[in-house]
Amino acid sequence: DVGIAEQHAVTFAAGLATEGFRPVCAIYSTFLQRAFDQIVHDVALQELPVVFALDRAGLVGGDGPTHHGLLDLAYLRAIPNLVVAAPRDENELQHLLATAVESGRPFAVRFPRAPIPEAALLPRPPALIAPGTAVQLRAGGDGALIALGTMVLPALAAAELLAAEGVSATVVNARFVCPLDERVITGLARSVGRIVTVEENVPMGGFGSAVSECLDRHDLSATPLLRLALPGQFVAHGKRDALLQQVGLDGPGIARRTREWVRAQQLHFS
């Protein structure tokens, strides 16, 4: 703990890594941006095995605009050599942190400010996850919800609501922003044909942008794509659940926005 000196914390972690340590640099998402230059030059450029544990990623509730972690996906995914991951829940967080420490690579794991029930923690050692691997949780033919981190469970809830209304949705836990699971994304583009990305980050340069760029690389830019994200503005104080509802990133909000978009797409192509 070096106090409010994020640049020093990152460079200090890089120095430890050069001496054979595997440092875990734990900094709030919103404050790690102060050390952007150090992440680039002191860690990523040298491919040093520093793990960034980004607490308070996304909306943090009562701490308000200064503490919401709205930007980390955008500013981190621009950095070469850096793995960027987001767990769906507390168990996957354990898997990803273990993966990060063992990877020997610069590695960032973002997670929210939320309570973890003690009973929910894994009683067994966490398993390693291959970087760039997504997992499909539900199959459907009307659209594919590709959700990242905290948005996976709301996406599953949205899929249940959509199913009750006759809209069948695939749900994928993306797990990684860098590298992306391009095989899964392009496969869904070709098979399902409509993709919705869901992330707790600003839309500019985030996870949805990464998926859009992936589709472009594979000549699939004509694939209908809806990008659900936080608004591109600072968000005020409020309880986390209330804020997610307000910005349409809870289960009902995702279901409503997806339903309207899918039906508009169906009318357009009918």
Side-chain angles (χ1 to χ4, degrees):
D1 185 351
V2 299
I4 305 174
E6 290 80 5
Q7 298 95 324
H8 171 59
V10 172
T11 300
F12 182 63
L16 290 173
T18 64
E19 295 299 316
F21 291 90
R22 292 291 175 88
V24 177
C25 193
I27 299 177
Y28 291 3
S29 163
T30 191
F31 297 134
L32 185 64
Q33 62 208 28
R34 292 172 171 167
F36 181 82
D37 182 71
Q38 285 72 25
I39 301 169
V40 173
H41 289 287
D42 297 341
V43 177
L45 183 63
Q46 302 179 72
E47 298 187 60
L48 293 174
V50 175
V51 177
F52 297 100
L54 279 66
D55 187 8
R56 287 164 166 76
L59 299 173
V60 300
D63 287 339
T66 57
H67 283 58
H68 294 314
L70 312 181
L71 308 173
D72 59 78
L73 295 181
Y75 71 74
L76 289 176
R77 65 173 289 260
I79 301 175
N81 299 329
L82 181 64
V83 178
V84 182
R88 60 172 283 187
D89 57 20
E90 57 274 6
N91 288 330
E92 196 162 74
L93 173 58
Q94 294 178 86
H95 296 314
L96 285 173
L97 281 175
T99 299
V101 172
E102 293 294 325
S103 71
R105 302 172 61 179
F107 205 120
V109 181
R110 78 185 308 251
F111 52 95
R113 181 191 182 188
I116 298 176
E118 186 176 347
L121 297 178
L122 286 172
R124 58 187 181 277
L128 302 185
I129 299 173
T133 55
V135 58
Q136 182 171 312
L137 305 176
R138 183 186 178 106
D142 292 322
L145 298 170
I146 307 179
L148 182 73
T150 55
M151 292 293 98
V152 173
L153 295 182
L156 285 169
E160 291 286 345
L161 295 171
L162 289 168
E165 300 174 0
V167 178
S168 172
T170 291
V171 178
V172 170
N173 173 12
R175 297 198 292 202
F176 294 92
V177 178
C178 303
L180 278 177
D181 192 330
E182 299 202 0
R183 180 186 61 83
V184 165
I185 292 168
T186 56
L188 289 171
R190 294 186 176 103
S191 61
V192 178
R194 298 184 188 91
I195 291 178
V196 180
T197 61
V198 196
E199 63 187 300
E200 197 174 343
N201 192 82
V202 295
M204 293 74 74
F207 175 64
S209 295
V211 171
S212 176
E213 293 161 16
C214 169
L215 295 174
D216 286 344
R217 281 193 296 274
H218 292 272
D219 296 323
L220 293 168
S221 57
T223 304
L225 174 64
L226 173 64
R227 295 162 51 191
L228 301 183
L230 294 172
Q233 61 192 48
F234 294 111
V235 179
H237 293 74
K239 292 185 177 179
R240 177 174 160 77
D241 289 346
L243 290 176
L244 287 172
Q245 181 181 23
Q246 178 181 313
V247 299
L249 289 180
D250 60 346
I254 295 169
R256 173 181 52 78
R257 296 162 77 184
T258 300
R259 178 182 64 250
E260 293 170 354
W261 180 74
V262 166
R263 289 180 175 168
Q265 290 289 319
Q266 289 172 336
L267 288 173
H268 178 73
F269 289 104
S270 62

